[in-house]
């Protein structure tokens, strides 16, 4: 099993969700996060005053998948989240040792 963590722009959530659903990947966790990478924030104006926004709003999508589905899921996320502009995000793939469903005690892929 593998865990995919994808940091994407908020407006790309629906395209990513629809693309993953088309692959029959249905379970995911989505969190609102803030961060920056190469884009390093930006300046905005509010009531005539300029101020720095150091962290940009992003969404973090987390998925647990069978190892054989990971390559296709990563490419699907990348293509659906790509706008071609700086700050499109990152995708991380991590190993998962075990998963347990709290309600039933099922373990491994049956719990996913």
């Amino acid at each position: 099993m593998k865990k995919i963590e994808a940091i994407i722009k908020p407006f790309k959530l629906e395209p990513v969700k629809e693309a993953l659903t088309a692959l029959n990947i249905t379970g995911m966790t989505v969190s609102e996060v803030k961060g920056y990478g190469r884009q390093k924030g930006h300046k905005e104006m509010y009531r005539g005053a300029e101020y720095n926004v150091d962290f940009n709003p992003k969404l973090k999508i987390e998925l647990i998948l069978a190892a054989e589905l990971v390559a296709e899921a990563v490419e699907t996320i990348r293509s659906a989240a790509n706008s071609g502009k700086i700050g499109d995000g990152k995708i991380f793939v991590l190993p998962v040792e075990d998963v347990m469903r709290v309600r039933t005690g099922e373990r491994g892929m049956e719990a996913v």
Side-chain angles (χ1 to χ4, degrees), residues 64-77:
I64 306 293
L65 299 174
E68 59 270 9
L69 299 174
V70 170
E72 189 175 13
V74 166
E75 181 53 33
T76 298
I77 294 168

Side-chain angles (χ1 to χ4, degrees), residues 1-105:
M1 289 181 293
K2 301 283 186 174
K3 178 179 185 180
I4 298 175
E5 292 183 2
I7 310 297
I8 63 170
K9 291 181 176 182
F11 66 90
K12 288 294 191 172
L13 178 60
E14 277 307 310
V16 169
K17 181 181 156 205
E18 289 171 7
L20 290 171
T21 301
L23 292 178
N24 290 322
I25 297 172
T26 55
M28 70 175 67
T29 300
V30 178
S31 307
E32 292 182 5
V33 296
K34 293 182 181 187
Y36 71 90
R38 291 183 181 158
Q39 66 196 101
K40 296 187 177 83
H42 60 279
K43 294 184 189 300
E44 287 190 7
M45 295 286 287
Y46 180 73
R47 294 189 177 183
E50 189 176 89
Y51 64 99
N52 288 327
V53 177
D54 293 329
F55 293 97
N56 296 307
K58 304 282 184 180
L59 292 180
K60 179 177 171 182
I61 300 171
E62 298 174 89
L63 308 162
I64 306 293
L65 299 174
E68 59 270 9
L69 299 174
V70 170
E72 189 175 13
V74 166
E75 181 53 33
T76 298
I77 294 168
R78 191 207 63 77
S79 62
N82 184 9
S83 71
K85 297 183 179 152
I86 193 167
D88 275 349
K90 297 271 192 298
I91 301 172
F92 306 96
V93 179
L94 305 119
V96 173
E97 245 181 76
D98 197 10
V99 178
M100 179 187 279
R101 185 183 308 268
V102 173
R103 180 177 54 87
T104 62

